[in-house]
Amino acid sequence: NDLQTVFGGVTDLAKDSVGIYVEFDRVMANIKATTGLTAGELQTLSDKASELAKTTQYSSTEVADSMLALAKGGMSVEQIMGAIPSVLNLATVGQLDLADSADYTTKILNSFGLASDDTATTVANTARIVDVMTKACNDSTLDVGALATYLGNCSGTGELLGYTIEDVCSNLMVLSDNGLQAGKSTIS
């Protein structure tokens, strides 16, 4: 009976391991289908996802999902490689799903006009967004998920009026700290 329990546990572990690999492979195939990356580019992302899985709290599949979100948001392989550490930081600070963190980041980059064809600019702006959001949440009653939603609601108008992400976050902090629902206020 003890032997059966041990082998049952080993069998379950093997099934889980295969399932994790299959899921990671599925996400990488989805990245390839979505972006048309070369085999070399896909391998670069795969290697980075595996590396980050070893050095962070996230699995390689979670990292790959976030890479897919960044790719869908318009980032190149080089931009993804440079931006992914900031995306991981935002997810960690905000206690978010990693793919949601990537999705929020690309939407805010694009809606504030901070996305660029230049890799260094996009990577720097990604870090800027994460820094501004982290500071806003640490210094107010906002949480990252709500702030990302609010920024999505008002970014187009804010950019048209010449407001930076820092300006908009500052105003959202004041609204939140005064008990106003910033999300409703941004679309009024």
Side-chain angles (χ1 to χ4, degrees):
N1 195 15
D2 288 337
L3 192 57
Q4 200 173 27
T5 302
V6 169
F7 281 120
V10 171
T11 302
D12 290 344
L13 180 63
K15 285 180 185 177
D16 290 345
S17 296
V18 169
I20 290 168
Y21 176 77
V22 168
E23 183 63 17
F24 176 73
D25 200 43
R26 184 198 59 78
V27 174
M28 295 309 295
N30 199 359
I31 290 173
K32 183 171 177 27
T34 301
T35 63
L37 296 178
T38 66
E41 291 170 322
L42 195 64
Q43 188 62 51
T44 298
L45 292 181
S46 178
D47 292 346
K48 185 68 169 180
S50 295
E51 172 194 325
L52 290 170
K54 292 176 186 170
T55 60
T56 69
Q57 69 189 34
Y58 300 103
S59 71
S60 56
T61 302
E62 290 172 312
V63 175
D65 276 333
S66 70
M67 290 174 166
L68 176 60
L70 292 173
K72 285 181 174 182
M75 285 194 184
S76 68
V77 171
E78 294 80 15
Q79 291 171 333
I80 292 168
M81 295 290 286
I84 198 72
S86 293
V87 171
L88 267 72
N89 287 341
L90 184 63
T92 301
V93 168
Q95 299 175 352
L96 302 170
D97 177 84
L98 195 50
D100 288 343
S101 175
D103 189 48
Y104 292 151
T105 302
T106 57
K107 286 179 179 174
I108 293 167
L109 268 172
N110 291 324
S111 62
F112 272 96
L114 298 173
S116 171
D117 289 337
D118 179 65
T119 297
T121 301
T122 296
V123 171
N125 284 338
T126 300
R128 174 182 167 199
I129 288 168
V130 170
D131 290 346
V132 169
M133 290 180 70
T134 299
K135 182 172 178 13
C137 292
N138 286 340
D139 294 349
S140 73
T141 59
L142 289 167
D143 66 70
V144 174
L147 177 58
T149 300
Y150 302 158
L151 286 170
N153 289 343
C154 65
S155 59
T157 304
E159 187 197 7
L160 285 174
L161 295 173
Y163 292 115
T164 65
I165 187 171
E166 291 85 357
D167 297 331
V168 174
C169 281
S170 180
N171 287 317
L172 291 172
M173 288 168 59
V174 171
L175 290 171
S176 180
D177 286 347
N178 286 292
L180 299 173
Q181 289 184 322
K184 290 184 181 176
S185 300
T186 61
I187 57 175
S188 300

Coordinates of all heavy atoms in Angstrom, one line a residue, residues 92-168:
T92 N 4.3 41.9 -9.6 CA 4.7 41.6 -8.2 C 4.2 42.7 -7.2 O 3.5 42.3 -6.2 CB 6.2 41.5 -8.0 OG1 6.7 40.4 -8.9 CG2 6.6 41.1 -6.6
V93 N 4.4 43.9 -7.5 CA 4.0 45.0 -6.7 C 2.4 45.0 -6.6 O 1.9 45.2 -5.5 CB 4.5 46.4 -7.2 CG1 3.8 47.5 -6.5 CG2 6.0 46.4 -7.0
G94 N 1.8 44.9 -7.7 CA 0.3 45.0 -7.8 C -0.4 43.7 -7.4 O -1.6 43.6 -7.4
Q95 N 0.4 42.6 -7.2 CA -0.2 41.3 -7.0 C -1.2 40.9 -8.1 O -2.3 40.6 -7.9 CB -0.9 41.2 -5.6 CG 0.1 41.5 -4.5 CD -0.6 41.5 -3.1 OE1 -1.8 41.5 -3.0 NE2 0.2 41.6 -2.1
L96 N -0.7 41.1 -9.3 CA -1.5 40.9 -10.5 C -1.1 39.6 -11.2 O 0.1 39.2 -11.1 CB -1.3 42.0 -11.5 CG -1.6 43.5 -11.1 CD1 -1.1 44.4 -12.1 CD2 -3.1 43.6 -10.9
D97 N -1.9 39.1 -12.0 CA -1.6 38.1 -13.0 C -0.6 38.7 -13.9 O -0.7 39.9 -14.3 CB -2.8 37.6 -13.7 CG -2.6 36.6 -14.8 OD1 -2.5 35.4 -14.5 OD2 -2.4 37.0 -16.0
L98 N 0.5 38.0 -14.3 CA 1.6 38.5 -15.1 C 1.1 39.0 -16.5 O 1.5 40.0 -17.0 CB 2.7 37.5 -15.2 CG 4.0 37.9 -15.7 CD1 4.5 39.1 -15.0 CD2 5.0 36.8 -15.6
A99 N 0.2 38.2 -17.1 CA -0.3 38.6 -18.4 C -1.2 39.9 -18.3 O -1.1 40.7 -19.2 CB -1.2 37.5 -19.0
D100 N -1.9 40.0 -17.2 CA -2.7 41.3 -17.0 C -1.7 42.5 -16.8 O -2.0 43.5 -17.4 CB -3.5 41.2 -15.7 CG -4.7 40.3 -15.9 OD1 -5.1 40.0 -17.1 OD2 -5.3 39.9 -14.9
S101 N -0.6 42.3 -16.1 CA 0.4 43.3 -16.0 C 0.9 43.7 -17.3 O 1.1 44.9 -17.6 CB 1.5 42.8 -15.1 OG 2.6 43.8 -15.0
A102 N 1.2 42.8 -18.2 CA 1.7 43.1 -19.5 C 0.6 43.8 -20.4 O 0.9 44.8 -21.1 CB 2.1 41.8 -20.2
D103 N -0.6 43.3 -20.2 CA -1.7 44.0 -21.0 C -1.9 45.4 -20.5 O -2.0 46.3 -21.4 CB -3.0 43.1 -20.8 CG -4.1 43.6 -21.7 OD1 -3.9 43.7 -22.9 OD2 -5.2 43.8 -21.1
Y104 N -1.9 45.6 -19.2 CA -2.0 47.0 -18.7 C -0.9 47.9 -19.3 O -1.1 49.0 -19.7 CB -2.0 47.1 -17.2 CG -3.2 46.4 -16.5 CD1 -3.0 45.9 -15.2 CD2 -4.4 46.4 -17.0 CE1 -4.1 45.3 -14.5 CE2 -5.5 45.8 -16.3 CZ -5.3 45.3 -15.1 OH -6.4 44.7 -14.4
T105 N 0.3 47.4 -19.2 CA 1.5 48.1 -19.6 C 1.4 48.5 -21.1 O 1.6 49.7 -21.4 CB 2.7 47.3 -19.4 OG1 2.8 47.0 -18.0 CG2 4.0 48.1 -19.7
T106 N 1.0 47.6 -22.0 CA 1.0 48.0 -23.4 C -0.2 48.9 -23.7 O 0.0 49.8 -24.5 CB 0.9 46.7 -24.3 OG1 -0.2 46.0 -23.9 CG2 2.2 45.9 -24.2
K107 N -1.3 48.7 -23.0 CA -2.4 49.6 -23.3 C -2.1 51.1 -22.8 O -2.4 52.0 -23.5 CB -3.7 49.1 -22.5 CG -4.3 47.9 -23.2 CD -5.5 47.4 -22.5 CE -6.1 46.2 -23.3 NZ -7.2 45.6 -22.6
I108 N -1.4 51.2 -21.7 CA -1.0 52.5 -21.2 C 0.1 53.1 -22.1 O 0.0 54.3 -22.4 CB -0.6 52.4 -19.7 CG1 -1.8 52.1 -18.8 CG2 0.0 53.7 -19.2 CD1 -1.5 51.7 -17.4
L109 N 1.0 52.3 -22.5 CA 2.1 52.8 -23.4 C 1.4 53.4 -24.7 O 1.7 54.5 -25.1 CB 3.0 51.7 -23.9 CG 4.2 51.4 -23.1 CD1 4.9 50.1 -23.6 CD2 5.2 52.5 -23.2
N110 N 0.5 52.6 -25.3 CA -0.1 53.0 -26.5 C -1.1 54.2 -26.3 O -1.1 55.1 -27.1 CB -0.8 51.8 -27.1 CG 0.1 50.8 -27.6 OD1 1.2 51.1 -28.1 ND2 -0.3 49.5 -27.5
S111 N -1.9 54.2 -25.3 CA -2.9 55.2 -25.1 C -2.3 56.6 -24.7 O -2.8 57.6 -25.0 CB -4.0 54.8 -24.1 OG -3.4 54.6 -22.9
F112 N -1.1 56.6 -24.1 CA -0.4 57.8 -23.7 C 0.6 58.2 -24.8 O 1.3 59.2 -24.6 CB 0.3 57.7 -22.4 CG -0.6 58.1 -21.2 CD1 -1.3 57.1 -20.5 CD2 -0.8 59.4 -20.8 CE1 -2.1 57.4 -19.4 CE2 -1.6 59.7 -19.7 CZ -2.2 58.7 -19.0
G113 N 0.6 57.5 -25.9 CA 1.6 57.8 -27.0 C 3.0 57.6 -26.6 O 3.9 58.2 -27.1
L114 N 3.3 56.6 -25.7 CA 4.6 56.4 -25.2 C 5.3 55.2 -25.9 O 6.5 54.9 -25.7 CB 4.6 56.1 -23.7 CG 4.1 57.3 -22.8 CD1 4.0 56.9 -21.4 CD2 5.0 58.5 -23.0
A115 N 4.5 54.5 -26.7 CA 5.1 53.4 -27.5 C 5.9 54.0 -28.6 O 5.7 55.1 -29.1 CB 4.0 52.5 -28.1
S116 N 7.0 53.3 -29.0 CA 7.9 53.8 -30.0 C 8.5 52.6 -30.8 O 8.5 51.5 -30.3 CB 9.0 54.6 -29.3 OG 10.0 54.9 -30.3
D117 N 8.9 52.9 -32.0 CA 9.6 51.9 -32.8 C 11.0 51.6 -32.2 O 11.6 50.6 -32.4 CB 9.7 52.2 -34.3 CG 8.4 52.2 -35.0 OD1 7.5 51.4 -34.5 OD2 8.2 52.9 -36.0
D118 N 11.5 52.6 -31.5 CA 12.8 52.6 -30.9 C 12.8 51.7 -29.6 O 12.0 52.0 -28.7 CB 13.3 54.0 -30.6 CG 14.7 54.0 -29.9 OD1 15.6 53.6 -30.6 OD2 14.8 54.3 -28.8
T119 N 13.6 50.7 -29.6 CA 13.5 49.8 -28.5 C 13.9 50.4 -27.1 O 13.2 50.3 -26.1 CB 14.5 48.6 -28.7 OG1 14.0 47.8 -29.8 CG2 14.6 47.6 -27.5
A120 N 14.9 51.2 -27.1 CA 15.4 51.9 -25.9 C 14.3 52.8 -25.4 O 14.1 52.9 -24.1 CB 16.7 52.7 -26.1
T121 N 13.6 53.5 -26.2 CA 12.5 54.4 -25.8 C 11.4 53.6 -25.2 O 10.8 54.0 -24.1 CB 12.0 55.3 -27.0 OG1 13.1 56.0 -27.5 CG2 10.9 56.2 -26.6
T122 N 11.0 52.6 -25.9 CA 9.8 51.7 -25.4 C 10.2 51.1 -24.0 O 9.4 51.1 -23.1 CB 9.4 50.7 -26.4 OG1 9.0 51.3 -27.6 CG2 8.4 49.8 -25.9
V123 N 11.4 50.6 -23.9 CA 11.8 50.0 -22.7 C 11.9 51.0 -21.5 O 11.4 50.8 -20.4 CB 13.2 49.2 -22.8 CG1 13.7 48.8 -21.5 CG2 13.0 48.1 -23.8
A124 N 12.4 52.2 -21.8 CA 12.5 53.3 -20.8 C 11.1 53.7 -20.4 O 10.8 54.0 -19.2 CB 13.3 54.4 -21.4
N125 N 10.2 53.8 -21.4 CA 8.8 54.3 -21.1 C 8.0 53.2 -20.3 O 7.2 53.5 -19.5 CB 8.1 54.7 -22.4 CG 8.5 56.0 -22.9 OD1 9.0 56.8 -22.1 ND2 8.3 56.3 -24.1
T126 N 8.3 51.9 -20.6 CA 7.7 50.9 -19.8 C 8.2 51.0 -18.3 O 7.3 50.9 -17.4 CB 8.1 49.5 -20.4 OG1 7.6 49.4 -21.7 CG2 7.5 48.4 -19.6
A127 N 9.4 51.2 -18.1 CA 9.9 51.3 -16.8 C 9.3 52.6 -16.1 O 9.0 52.6 -14.9 CB 11.5 51.4 -16.8
R128 N 9.2 53.6 -16.9 CA 8.6 54.9 -16.4 C 7.1 54.6 -15.9 O 6.7 55.0 -14.8 CB 8.6 55.9 -17.5 CG 7.9 57.2 -17.1 CD 7.9 58.2 -18.3 NE 7.0 59.3 -18.2 CZ 6.6 60.0 -19.2 NH1 7.0 59.8 -20.4 NH2 5.7 61.0 -19.0
I129 N 6.4 53.9 -16.7 CA 5.0 53.6 -16.4 C 4.9 52.8 -15.1 O 4.1 53.1 -14.2 CB 4.3 52.8 -17.5 CG1 4.0 53.8 -18.7 CG2 3.0 52.2 -17.1 CD1 3.6 53.1 -20.0
V130 N 5.7 51.8 -15.0 CA 5.7 51.0 -13.8 C 6.1 51.8 -12.6 O 5.5 51.7 -11.5 CB 6.6 49.7 -14.0 CG1 6.9 49.0 -12.7 CG2 6.1 48.8 -15.1
D131 N 7.2 52.6 -12.7 CA 7.6 53.4 -11.6 C 6.5 54.4 -11.1 O 6.2 54.6 -9.9 CB 8.9 54.2 -12.0 CG 10.1 53.4 -12.1 OD1 10.1 52.2 -11.7 OD2 11.1 53.9 -12.7
V132 N 5.9 55.1 -12.1 CA 4.8 56.0 -11.8 C 3.6 55.3 -11.1 O 3.1 55.8 -10.1 CB 4.4 56.8 -13.0 CG1 3.1 57.6 -12.8 CG2 5.5 57.7 -13.5
M133 N 3.2 54.2 -11.7 CA 2.1 53.4 -11.1 C 2.4 52.9 -9.7 O 1.6 53.0 -8.8 CB 1.7 52.3 -12.0 CG 1.0 52.8 -13.3 SD 0.6 51.4 -14.4 CE -0.8 50.7 -13.5
T134 N 3.6 52.4 -9.5 CA 4.0 51.9 -8.2 C 4.0 53.0 -7.2 O 3.5 52.9 -6.1 CB 5.4 51.3 -8.3 OG1 5.4 50.2 -9.2 CG2 5.9 50.8 -6.9
K135 N 4.6 54.2 -7.5 CA 4.6 55.3 -6.6 C 3.2 55.8 -6.3 O 2.9 56.1 -5.1 CB 5.4 56.5 -7.2 CG 5.5 57.7 -6.3 CD 6.5 58.7 -6.8 CE 6.6 59.9 -5.9 NZ 6.1 59.9 -4.6
A136 N 2.4 55.9 -7.3 CA 1.0 56.3 -7.1 C 0.2 55.4 -6.1 O -0.5 55.8 -5.2 CB 0.2 56.4 -8.4
C137 N 0.5 54.1 -6.3 CA -0.2 53.2 -5.4 C 0.4 53.1 -4.0 O -0.4 53.0 -3.0 CB -0.2 51.8 -6.0 SG -1.2 51.7 -7.5
N138 N 1.7 53.3 -3.9 CA 2.3 53.3 -2.6 C 2.0 54.6 -1.8 O 2.0 54.6 -0.6 CB 3.8 53.2 -2.7 CG 4.3 51.8 -3.1 OD1 3.6 50.9 -2.9 ND2 5.5 51.7 -3.6
D139 N 1.7 55.7 -2.5 CA 1.4 57.0 -1.9 C 0.0 57.3 -1.8 O -0.4 58.5 -1.4 CB 2.2 58.1 -2.6 CG 3.7 58.0 -2.6 OD1 4.2 57.2 -1.8 OD2 4.4 58.7 -3.3
S140 N -0.9 56.4 -2.1 CA -2.3 56.7 -2.1 C -3.1 55.4 -1.7 O -2.6 54.4 -1.4 CB -2.8 57.3 -3.4 OG -2.8 56.2 -4.4
T141 N -4.4 55.6 -1.8 CA -5.3 54.4 -1.5 C -5.6 53.6 -2.8 O -6.4 52.7 -2.8 CB -6.7 54.9 -0.9 OG1 -7.3 55.8 -1.9 CG2 -6.4 55.6 0.4
L142 N -5.0 54.0 -3.9 CA -5.2 53.2 -5.2 C -4.5 51.9 -5.1 O -3.5 51.7 -4.5 CB -4.6 54.0 -6.3 CG -5.3 55.3 -6.8 CD1 -4.5 56.1 -7.7 CD2 -6.6 54.9 -7.4
D143 N -5.0 50.9 -5.9 CA -4.3 49.7 -6.1 C -4.0 49.6 -7.6 O -4.6 50.3 -8.4 CB -5.1 48.5 -5.6 CG -6.4 48.2 -6.4 OD1 -6.3 47.8 -7.6 OD2 -7.5 48.4 -5.8
V144 N -3.0 48.8 -8.0 CA -2.5 48.8 -9.3 C -3.6 48.4 -10.4 O -3.7 49.1 -11.4 CB -1.3 47.8 -9.5 CG1 -0.9 47.7 -10.9 CG2 -0.2 48.3 -8.6
G145 N -4.4 47.4 -10.1 CA -5.5 47.0 -11.0 C -6.5 48.2 -11.3 O -6.8 48.5 -12.4
A146 N -6.9 48.8 -10.2 CA -7.8 49.9 -10.4 C -7.2 51.1 -11.1 O -7.8 51.7 -12.0 CB -8.3 50.4 -9.0
L147 N -5.9 51.4 -10.7 CA -5.2 52.5 -11.4 C -5.1 52.2 -12.9 O -5.3 53.1 -13.7 CB -3.8 52.7 -10.7 CG -3.0 53.8 -11.4 CD1 -3.7 55.2 -11.4 CD2 -1.6 53.9 -10.6
A148 N -4.7 51.0 -13.3 CA -4.6 50.7 -14.7 C -5.9 50.9 -15.4 O -5.9 51.4 -16.5 CB -4.1 49.3 -14.8
T149 N -7.0 50.5 -14.8 CA -8.3 50.7 -15.4 C -8.6 52.2 -15.5 O -9.1 52.6 -16.6 CB -9.4 50.0 -14.5 OG1 -9.1 48.6 -14.5 CG2 -10.8 50.2 -15.1
Y150 N -8.4 53.0 -14.5 CA -8.6 54.4 -14.5 C -7.8 55.1 -15.6 O -8.3 56.0 -16.3 CB -8.4 55.1 -13.2 CG -9.2 54.5 -12.0 CD1 -8.7 54.6 -10.7 CD2 -10.4 53.8 -12.2 CE1 -9.4 54.1 -9.6 CE2 -11.1 53.3 -11.2 CZ -10.6 53.4 -9.9 OH -11.3 52.9 -8.8
L151 N -6.5 54.7 -15.7 CA -5.6 55.3 -16.7 C -6.2 54.9 -18.1 O -6.1 55.8 -19.0 CB -4.2 54.7 -16.5 CG -3.4 55.3 -15.4 CD1 -2.1 54.6 -15.2 CD2 -3.2 56.8 -15.6
G152 N -6.7 53.7 -18.3 CA -7.3 53.4 -19.6 C -8.5 54.2 -19.9 O -8.7 54.6 -21.1
N153 N -9.3 54.6 -18.9 CA -10.5 55.4 -19.1 C -10.1 56.8 -19.5 O -10.9 57.5 -20.2 CB -11.3 55.4 -17.8 CG -12.0 54.1 -17.6 OD1 -12.1 53.2 -18.4 ND2 -12.4 53.9 -16.3
C154 N -9.0 57.4 -19.0 CA -8.8 58.8 -19.2 C -7.5 59.1 -20.0 O -7.3 60.3 -20.3 CB -8.8 59.5 -17.9 SG -7.4 59.0 -16.8
S155 N -6.8 58.1 -20.4 CA -5.5 58.4 -21.0 C -5.6 59.2 -22.3 O -4.9 60.1 -22.6 CB -4.7 57.1 -21.2 OG -5.5 56.3 -22.0
G156 N -6.6 58.8 -23.2 CA -6.8 59.5 -24.4 C -7.0 61.0 -24.3 O -6.4 61.8 -24.9
T157 N -8.0 61.3 -23.4 CA -8.3 62.7 -23.1 C -7.1 63.4 -22.4 O -6.8 64.5 -22.8 CB -9.5 62.8 -22.1 OG1 -10.6 62.1 -22.7 CG2 -9.9 64.2 -21.9
G158 N -6.5 62.7 -21.5 CA -5.3 63.3 -20.8 C -4.2 63.6 -21.8 O -3.7 64.7 -21.8
E159 N -3.9 62.7 -22.7 CA -2.9 63.0 -23.7 C -3.3 64.1 -24.6 O -2.4 65.0 -24.9 CB -2.6 61.7 -24.5 CG -1.4 62.0 -25.4 CD -1.2 61.0 -26.5 OE1 -2.1 60.2 -26.8 OE2 -0.2 61.1 -27.2
L160 N -4.5 64.2 -25.0 CA -5.0 65.3 -25.9 C -4.8 66.6 -25.2 O -4.6 67.6 -25.9 CB -6.4 65.0 -26.3 CG -6.7 64.0 -27.4 CD1 -8.2 63.7 -27.6 CD2 -6.0 64.4 -28.7
L161 N -5.0 66.6 -23.9 CA -5.0 67.9 -23.2 C -3.5 68.2 -22.7 O -3.3 69.2 -22.1 CB -5.9 67.8 -21.9 CG -7.4 67.8 -22.3 CD1 -8.2 67.5 -21.0 CD2 -7.8 69.0 -23.0
G162 N -2.6 67.3 -23.1 CA -1.2 67.6 -22.8 C -0.8 67.1 -21.4 O 0.3 67.5 -20.9
Y163 N -1.6 66.3 -20.8 CA -1.2 65.7 -19.5 C -0.3 64.5 -19.6 O -0.5 63.7 -20.5 CB -2.4 65.3 -18.7 CG -3.3 66.5 -18.2 CD1 -4.6 66.6 -18.7 CD2 -2.8 67.4 -17.3 CE1 -5.4 67.6 -18.3 CE2 -3.6 68.5 -16.9 CZ -4.9 68.6 -17.4 OH -5.7 69.6 -17.0
T164 N 0.7 64.4 -18.8 CA 1.6 63.3 -18.8 C 0.9 62.2 -17.9 O 0.0 62.5 -17.2 CB 2.9 63.6 -18.2 OG1 2.8 64.0 -16.8 CG2 3.6 64.7 -19.0
I165 N 1.5 61.0 -18.0 CA 1.0 59.9 -17.1 C 1.2 60.3 -15.6 O 0.4 60.0 -14.8 CB 1.7 58.6 -17.4 CG1 1.0 57.5 -16.6 CG2 3.2 58.6 -17.2 CD1 1.4 56.1 -16.9
E166 N 2.3 61.1 -15.3 CA 2.5 61.6 -14.0 C 1.4 62.5 -13.5 O 0.9 62.4 -12.4 CB 3.9 62.3 -13.9 CG 5.1 61.4 -14.0 CD 5.5 61.1 -15.5 OE1 4.8 61.6 -16.4 OE2 6.5 60.4 -15.7
D167 N 1.0 63.4 -14.4 CA -0.1 64.3 -14.1 C -1.4 63.6 -13.8 O -2.1 63.9 -12.8 CB -0.3 65.3 -15.3 CG 0.8 66.2 -15.6 OD1 1.6 66.5 -14.7 OD2 0.9 66.6 -16.8
V168 N -1.7 62.7 -14.7 CA -3.0 61.9 -14.5 C -3.0 61.1 -13.3 O -3.9 61.1 -12.5 CB -3.3 61.1 -15.8 CG1 -4.5 60.2 -15.6 CG2 -3.4 62.0 -17.0

